[in-house]
Coordinates of all heavy atoms in Angstrom, one line a residue:
M1 N 72.1 95.2 60.6 CA 72.4 96.3 59.6 C 72.2 97.6 60.3 O 71.1 97.8 60.8 CB 71.5 96.1 58.4 CG 71.8 97.1 57.3 SD 70.7 96.8 55.9 CE 71.7 95.6 55.0
T2 N 73.2 98.5 60.2 CA 73.1 99.8 60.8 C 72.2 100.7 60.0 O 71.9 100.5 58.8 CB 74.5 100.3 61.0 OG1 75.0 100.6 59.6 CG2 75.4 99.5 61.7
V3 N 71.8 101.8 60.6 CA 71.0 102.8 60.0 C 71.8 103.4 58.7 O 71.3 103.5 57.7 CB 70.6 103.9 60.9 CG1 70.0 105.1 60.1 CG2 69.7 103.4 62.0
A4 N 73.0 103.6 59.0 CA 73.9 104.2 57.9 C 73.9 103.3 56.7 O 73.8 103.7 55.6 CB 75.3 104.5 58.5
S5 N 74.1 102.0 56.9 CA 74.2 101.0 55.7 C 72.8 100.9 55.1 O 72.7 100.7 53.9 CB 74.7 99.6 56.3 OG 73.8 99.1 57.2
Q6 N 71.8 101.0 55.8 CA 70.4 101.0 55.3 C 70.2 102.2 54.3 O 69.7 102.2 53.3 CB 69.4 100.9 56.4 CG 69.3 99.6 57.1 CD 68.2 99.5 58.2 OE1 68.0 100.6 58.8 NE2 67.8 98.3 58.5
I7 N 70.6 103.4 54.8 CA 70.5 104.6 54.0 C 71.3 104.5 52.8 O 70.8 104.8 51.7 CB 70.9 105.9 54.9 CG1 69.8 106.0 55.9 CG2 71.0 107.1 54.0 CD1 70.2 107.1 57.1
K8 N 72.6 104.0 52.9 CA 73.4 103.9 51.7 C 72.9 102.9 50.7 O 72.8 103.1 49.6 CB 74.8 103.5 52.2 CG 75.6 104.6 52.8 CD 76.9 104.3 53.3 CE 77.6 105.4 54.0 NZ 78.9 105.0 54.5
K9 N 72.3 101.8 51.2 CA 71.6 100.8 50.3 C 70.4 101.4 49.6 O 70.2 101.3 48.3 CB 71.3 99.6 51.1 CG 70.7 98.5 50.2 CD 70.4 97.2 51.2 CE 69.8 96.1 50.3 NZ 69.3 95.0 51.0
T10 N 69.7 102.2 50.4 CA 68.6 102.8 49.8 C 68.8 103.9 48.7 O 68.3 103.9 47.6 CB 67.6 103.5 50.9 OG1 67.3 102.6 51.8 CG2 66.5 104.2 50.4
L11 N 69.9 104.6 48.9 CA 70.5 105.6 48.1 C 70.9 105.0 46.8 O 70.6 105.4 45.7 CB 71.6 106.4 48.7 CG 71.1 107.6 49.6 CD1 72.4 108.1 50.3 CD2 70.5 108.6 48.8
A12 N 71.7 103.8 46.9 CA 72.1 103.2 45.7 C 70.9 102.6 44.9 O 70.9 102.8 43.7 CB 73.0 101.9 46.1
T13 N 69.9 102.1 45.6 CA 68.7 101.7 44.9 C 68.1 102.8 44.1 O 67.6 102.5 43.0 CB 67.8 100.9 45.8 OG1 68.5 99.8 46.4 CG2 66.5 100.4 45.2
L14 N 67.8 103.9 44.8 CA 67.0 105.0 44.3 C 67.9 105.6 43.0 O 67.2 106.0 42.0 CB 66.8 106.1 45.3 CG 65.8 105.8 46.4 CD1 65.8 107.0 47.5 CD2 64.4 106.0 45.7
K15 N 69.2 105.6 43.1 CA 70.0 106.2 42.0 C 69.8 105.1 40.8 O 69.8 105.7 39.6 CB 71.4 106.4 42.4 CG 71.6 107.6 43.4 CD 72.9 107.8 43.9 CE 73.1 109.0 44.9 NZ 74.4 109.2 45.3
G16 N 69.9 103.9 41.0 CA 69.6 102.9 39.9 C 68.1 103.1 39.4 O 68.1 103.1 38.2
N17 N 67.2 103.5 40.2 CA 65.8 103.5 39.7 C 65.8 104.8 38.9 O 65.1 105.0 37.9 CB 64.9 103.6 40.8 CG 64.6 102.4 41.6 OD1 65.0 101.3 41.1 ND2 64.1 102.4 42.8
Q18 N 66.6 105.8 39.3 CA 66.7 107.2 38.5 C 67.2 106.8 37.2 O 66.6 107.3 36.1 CB 67.5 108.1 39.1 CG 66.9 109.1 40.1 CD 67.9 110.2 40.4 OE1 69.0 109.9 40.7 NE2 67.4 111.4 40.6
G19 N 68.1 106.0 37.0 CA 68.8 105.7 35.7 C 67.6 105.0 34.8 O 67.5 105.4 33.6
T20 N 66.9 104.2 35.4 CA 65.9 103.5 34.7 C 64.7 104.4 34.2 O 64.3 104.4 33.0 CB 65.3 102.3 35.5 OG1 66.4 101.4 35.9 CG2 64.2 101.5 34.8
L21 N 64.4 105.4 35.0 CA 63.3 106.3 34.8 C 63.8 107.2 33.7 O 63.0 107.6 32.7 CB 63.0 107.0 36.0 CG 62.1 106.5 37.1 CD1 62.0 107.2 38.4 CD2 60.6 106.2 36.5
R22 N 65.1 107.6 33.7 CA 65.7 108.5 32.7 C 65.6 107.8 31.3 O 65.2 108.3 30.2 CB 67.1 108.9 32.9 CG 67.2 110.0 33.9 CD 68.6 110.6 34.0 NE 68.6 111.6 35.0 CZ 69.0 111.3 36.3 NH1 69.5 110.2 36.7 NH2 69.1 112.3 37.1
L23 N 66.0 106.5 31.3 CA 65.9 105.7 30.1 C 64.5 105.6 29.5 O 64.3 105.8 28.3 CB 66.5 104.3 30.4 CG 66.6 103.4 29.2 CD1 67.6 103.9 28.1 CD2 67.1 102.0 29.6
Y24 N 63.6 105.3 30.4 CA 62.0 105.3 30.0 C 61.7 106.5 29.4 O 60.9 106.6 28.5 CB 61.2 104.8 31.1 CG 61.3 103.4 31.6 CD1 60.9 103.1 32.8 CD2 62.0 102.5 30.8 CE1 60.9 101.7 33.3 CE2 62.2 101.1 31.3 CZ 61.6 100.8 32.5 OH 61.7 99.5 32.8
A25 N 62.1 107.7 30.0 CA 61.6 109.1 29.6 C 62.1 109.3 28.2 O 61.5 110.0 27.4 CB 62.0 110.1 30.6
L26 N 63.4 108.9 28.0 CA 64.0 109.1 26.7 C 63.4 108.2 25.6 O 63.3 108.6 24.5 CB 65.5 108.9 26.8 CG 66.2 109.9 27.4 CD1 67.7 109.5 27.6 CD2 66.2 111.3 26.9
Q27 N 63.0 107.1 26.0 CA 62.5 106.0 25.0 C 61.0 106.2 24.6 O 60.5 105.9 23.5 CB 62.7 104.7 25.5 CG 64.1 104.2 25.5 CD 64.5 102.8 25.9 OE1 63.6 102.2 26.7 NE2 65.6 102.3 25.7
T28 N 60.2 106.8 25.6 CA 58.7 106.8 25.2 C 58.5 108.0 24.2 O 59.2 108.9 24.2 CB 58.0 107.1 26.5 OG1 56.6 106.9 26.2 CG2 58.2 108.5 27.2
R29 N 57.4 107.7 23.4 CA 57.0 108.7 22.5 C 55.7 109.5 23.0 O 55.4 110.5 22.5 CB 56.7 108.1 21.1 CG 57.9 107.5 20.6 CD 57.6 106.9 19.3 NE 59.0 106.2 18.8 CZ 59.1 105.8 17.6 NH1 58.1 105.9 16.7 NH2 60.2 105.3 17.2
D30 N 55.1 109.0 24.0 CA 53.8 109.5 24.5 C 54.2 110.6 25.5 O 55.0 110.4 26.5 CB 53.2 108.4 25.3 CG 51.9 108.9 26.0 OD1 51.1 109.5 25.3 OD2 51.7 108.6 27.2
E31 N 53.8 111.7 25.3 CA 54.1 113.0 25.9 C 53.7 112.9 27.4 O 54.3 113.5 28.3 CB 53.7 114.2 25.3 CG 54.5 114.6 24.0 CD 55.9 114.8 24.3 OE1 56.3 115.5 25.3 OE2 56.7 114.3 23.4
E32 N 52.5 112.3 27.6 CA 52.0 112.2 28.9 C 52.8 111.3 29.8 O 53.1 111.7 31.0 CB 50.6 111.8 28.9 CG 49.9 111.8 30.3 CD 48.4 111.3 30.2 OE1 47.8 111.3 29.2 OE2 47.9 111.0 31.3
S33 N 53.3 110.3 29.3 CA 54.2 109.3 30.0 C 55.5 110.0 30.3 O 56.1 109.9 31.3 CB 54.4 108.1 29.1 OG 53.2 107.3 29.1
K34 N 56.0 110.7 29.3 CA 57.3 111.4 29.4 C 57.2 112.4 30.7 O 58.0 112.6 31.5 CB 57.6 112.2 28.2 CG 59.0 112.7 28.0 CD 59.4 113.2 26.7 CE 59.5 112.0 25.8 NZ 60.3 112.2 24.7
L35 N 56.0 113.2 30.7 CA 55.7 114.1 31.9 C 55.7 113.4 33.1 O 56.3 113.8 34.2 CB 54.4 114.9 31.6 CG 54.5 116.0 30.7 CD1 53.1 116.5 30.4 CD2 55.5 117.0 31.0
V36 N 55.1 112.2 33.2 CA 55.1 111.4 34.5 C 56.4 111.0 34.8 O 56.8 111.1 36.1 CB 54.2 110.2 34.3 CG1 54.1 109.3 35.6 CG2 52.6 110.7 34.1
Y37 N 57.2 110.4 33.9 CA 58.6 110.0 34.2 C 59.4 111.2 34.8 O 60.2 111.0 35.7 CB 59.3 109.5 33.0 CG 58.7 108.0 32.6 CD1 58.4 107.8 31.3 CD2 58.6 107.0 33.5 CE1 57.9 106.5 30.9 CE2 58.1 105.8 33.2 CZ 57.8 105.5 31.9 OH 57.4 104.3 31.5
N38 N 59.3 112.4 34.1 CA 60.0 113.5 34.6 C 59.6 114.0 36.0 O 60.5 114.4 36.7 CB 60.0 114.6 33.5 CG 60.8 114.3 32.3 OD1 62.0 113.6 32.4 ND2 60.4 114.6 31.1
E39 N 58.4 114.0 36.2 CA 57.9 114.3 37.6 C 58.4 113.4 38.7 O 58.8 113.8 39.7 CB 56.4 114.3 37.6 CG 55.7 115.6 36.9 CD 54.2 115.5 36.8 OE1 53.6 114.7 37.5 OE2 53.7 116.2 36.0
T40 N 58.3 112.1 38.3 CA 58.9 111.0 39.2 C 60.4 111.3 39.4 O 60.9 111.1 40.5 CB 58.6 109.6 38.7 OG1 57.2 109.5 38.4 CG2 59.0 108.6 39.6
L41 N 61.1 111.5 38.4 CA 62.5 111.8 38.5 C 62.8 113.0 39.4 O 63.7 113.0 40.3 CB 63.1 112.1 37.2 CG 63.6 111.0 36.3 CD1 63.8 111.4 34.8 CD2 64.8 110.4 36.8
K42 N 61.9 114.1 39.3 CA 62.1 115.2 40.3 C 61.9 114.9 41.7 O 62.6 115.2 42.6 CB 61.2 116.4 39.9 CG 61.6 117.1 38.6 CD 60.7 118.1 38.3 CE 60.9 118.7 36.8 NZ 59.9 119.7 36.5
A43 N 60.8 114.0 42.0 CA 60.5 113.5 43.2 C 61.5 112.6 43.8 O 62.1 112.7 45.0 CB 59.2 112.8 43.4
T44 N 62.1 111.8 43.0 CA 63.3 110.9 43.3 C 64.4 111.7 43.6 O 65.1 111.3 44.6 CB 63.5 109.8 42.2 OG1 62.3 109.2 41.9 CG2 64.6 108.9 42.7
E45 N 64.7 112.8 42.9 CA 65.9 113.5 43.2 C 65.8 114.3 44.6 O 66.8 114.3 45.3 CB 66.1 114.6 42.1 CG 67.4 115.4 42.2 CD 68.7 114.6 41.9 OE1 68.5 113.7 41.2 OE2 69.6 115.0 42.6
Q46 N 64.6 114.7 44.9 CA 64.4 115.4 46.2 C 64.6 114.3 47.3 O 65.2 114.7 48.4 CB 63.0 115.9 46.3 CG 62.8 116.6 47.5 CD 63.7 117.8 47.8 OE1 64.0 118.7 47.0 NE2 64.3 118.0 49.0
I47 N 64.2 113.1 47.2 CA 64.3 112.1 48.3 C 65.7 111.8 48.4 O 66.2 111.7 49.5 CB 63.5 110.8 47.9 CG1 62.0 111.1 48.0 CG2 63.8 109.6 48.7 CD1 61.0 110.0 47.2
I48 N 66.4 111.6 47.2 CA 67.9 111.4 47.4 C 68.7 112.4 48.0 O 69.5 112.3 48.9 CB 68.4 111.2 45.9 CG1 68.0 109.8 45.4 CG2 70.0 111.2 45.9 CD1 68.3 109.5 43.8
N49 N 68.3 113.8 47.7 CA 69.1 114.8 48.4 C 68.7 114.9 49.8 O 69.6 115.1 50.7 CB 68.5 116.2 47.7 CG 69.0 116.4 46.3 OD1 70.0 115.8 46.0 ND2 68.4 117.3 45.6
D50 N 67.4 114.6 50.2 CA 67.1 114.5 51.7 C 67.9 113.4 52.3 O 68.4 113.6 53.4 CB 65.6 114.3 51.8 CG 64.7 115.3 51.4 OD1 65.2 116.6 51.3 OD2 63.5 115.2 51.3
L51 N 67.9 112.2 51.7 CA 68.7 111.1 52.4 C 70.2 111.4 52.4 O 70.8 111.1 53.4 CB 68.5 109.8 51.6 CG 67.1 109.1 51.8 CD1 67.0 108.0 50.9 CD2 66.9 108.7 53.3
E52 N 70.8 112.2 51.6 CA 72.1 112.4 51.5 C 72.4 113.5 52.6 O 73.4 113.4 53.3 CB 72.7 113.0 50.1 CG 72.8 111.9 49.0 CD 73.1 112.4 47.7 OE1 72.9 113.6 47.4 OE2 73.7 111.6 46.9
E53 N 71.5 114.4 52.8 CA 71.6 115.3 53.9 C 71.5 114.5 55.3 O 72.3 114.9 56.2 CB 70.6 116.4 53.8 CG 70.9 117.5 52.8 CD 72.1 118.1 53.0 OE1 72.4 118.5 54.0 OE2 73.0 118.3 52.0
R54 N 70.6 113.7 55.4 CA 70.5 112.8 56.5 C 71.8 112.1 56.9 O 72.2 111.9 58.0 CB 69.4 111.9 56.4 CG 69.1 110.9 57.6 CD 68.8 111.7 58.9 NE 68.7 110.6 59.9 CZ 69.3 110.8 61.1 NH1 70.0 111.9 61.4 NH2 69.1 109.9 62.0
M55 N 72.3 111.5 55.7 CA 73.7 110.8 55.9 C 74.8 111.7 56.5 O 75.6 111.3 57.2 CB 74.0 110.2 54.5 CG 75.0 109.1 54.6 SD 74.5 107.7 55.4 CE 75.8 107.2 56.3
K56 N 74.8 112.9 56.0 CA 75.8 113.9 56.5 C 75.6 114.1 58.0 O 76.5 114.1 58.8 CB 75.7 115.2 55.7 CG 76.2 115.1 54.3 CD 76.0 116.5 53.6 CE 76.4 116.4 52.1 NZ 76.1 117.6 51.5
V57 N 74.3 114.3 58.3 CA 74.1 114.5 59.8 C 74.5 113.2 60.6 O 75.1 113.4 61.7 CB 72.6 114.8 60.1 CG1 72.3 114.9 61.4 CG2 72.3 116.1 59.4
L58 N 74.2 112.1 60.1 CA 74.4 110.9 60.8 C 76.0 110.8 60.9 O 76.4 110.3 61.9 CB 73.9 109.7 60.0 CG 73.9 108.3 60.6 CD1 73.2 108.3 61.9 CD2 73.4 107.2 59.7
E59 N 76.7 111.0 59.9 CA 78.1 110.8 59.9 C 78.8 112.0 60.9 O 79.8 111.6 61.5 CB 78.8 111.1 58.4 CG 78.5 109.9 57.6 CD 78.9 110.1 56.1 OE1 79.3 111.2 55.8 OE2 79.0 109.0 55.4
Y60 N 78.1 113.0 61.0 CA 78.7 114.1 61.9 C 78.4 113.7 63.3 O 79.3 113.8 64.2 CB 78.0 115.4 61.5 CG 78.4 116.5 62.5 CD1 79.7 117.2 62.4 CD2 77.6 116.9 63.6 CE1 80.0 118.1 63.4 CE2 78.0 117.8 64.4 CZ 79.2 118.5 64.4 OH 79.6 119.4 65.2
Q61 N 77.2 113.1 63.6 CA 76.8 112.7 64.9 C 77.6 111.4 65.3 O 77.8 111.2 66.5 CB 75.4 112.6 65.1 CG 74.6 113.9 65.0 CD 73.1 113.7 65.0 OE1 72.6 112.6 64.7 NE2 72.3 114.7 65.2
E62 N 77.7 110.6 64.3 CA 78.3 109.2 64.6 C 79.5 109.0 63.6 O 79.4 108.3 62.7 CB 77.2 108.2 64.4 CG 76.0 108.3 65.2 CD 76.2 108.0 66.8 OE1 77.3 107.4 67.1 OE2 75.4 108.4 67.5
P63 N 80.8 109.5 64.0 CA 81.8 109.5 63.1 C 82.2 108.0 62.6 O 82.9 107.8 61.6 CB 83.0 110.1 63.9 CG 82.3 110.8 65.0 CD 81.0 110.2 65.3
Q64 N 81.8 107.0 63.4 CA 82.2 105.7 63.0 C 81.5 105.2 61.7 O 81.9 104.3 61.0 CB 81.9 104.6 64.1 CG 80.4 104.4 64.3 CD 79.8 105.3 65.5 OE1 80.3 106.3 65.7 NE2 78.7 104.8 66.0
Y65 N 80.5 106.0 61.3 CA 79.8 105.7 60.0 C 80.4 106.3 58.8 O 80.0 106.0 57.7 CB 78.3 106.0 60.2 CG 77.4 105.3 61.2 CD1 76.6 105.9 62.0 CD2 77.6 103.9 61.2 CE1 75.9 105.2 62.9 CE2 76.9 103.2 62.2 CZ 76.1 103.9 63.0 OH 75.4 103.1 64.0
K66 N 81.3 107.3 59.1 CA 81.8 108.0 57.9 C 82.7 107.1 57.1 O 83.6 106.3 57.6 CB 82.7 109.1 58.5 CG 83.1 110.2 57.5 CD 83.7 111.4 58.1 CE 83.7 112.5 57.2 NZ 83.9 113.8 57.8
G67 N 82.4 107.2 55.8 CA 83.2 106.6 54.8 C 82.8 105.0 54.6 O 83.5 104.3 53.9
N68 N 81.8 104.5 55.4 CA 81.6 103.1 55.3 C 80.6 102.8 54.2 O 79.8 103.6 53.8 CB 80.9 102.6 56.6 CG 82.0 102.5 57.7 OD1 83.1 102.4 57.5 ND2 81.5 102.5 59.0

């Protein structure tokens, strides 16, 4: 498995996890839990952004990974 495919797989998993966290944040009535879910969503968003930037660099440096 290439680095690019590992990053793409990780991104897909993280985006799925984000959806689950959003659902939990909407369904909970406990304000403290809601805050934790939202903080986790922000952290996850930052990680996703960092990985997407890494993917852009990787695609630039290694054109064979582009669009795979």
Side-chain angles (χ1 to χ4, degrees):
M1 184 176 272
T2 66
V3 172
S5 63
Q6 289 175 334
I7 290 173
K8 288 178 182 180
K9 184 177 177 183
T10 301
L11 280 168
T13 301
L14 284 170
K15 288 178 181 181
N17 291 343
Q18 262 189 325
T20 302
L21 286 168
R22 280 192 184 98
L23 184 62
Y24 290 166
L26 290 172
Q27 290 179 340
T28 189
R29 293 179 187 193
D30 180 48
E31 287 301 316
E32 187 176 341
S33 295
K34 196 172 283 201
L35 285 172
V36 171
Y37 287 132
N38 287 324
E39 287 175 17
T40 306
L41 276 167
K42 288 178 189 176
T44 306
E45 186 66 35
Q46 183 61 49
I47 293 167
I48 288 171
N49 291 339
D50 291 346
L51 284 175
E52 286 175 340
E53 286 301 314
R54 175 66 182 130
M55 198 64 216
K56 288 177 188 175
V57 170
L58 186 62
E59 288 174 345
Y60 177 77
Q61 291 174 346
E62 304 289 340
Q64 72 267 23
Y65 296 135
K66 196 168 198 164
N68 289 336

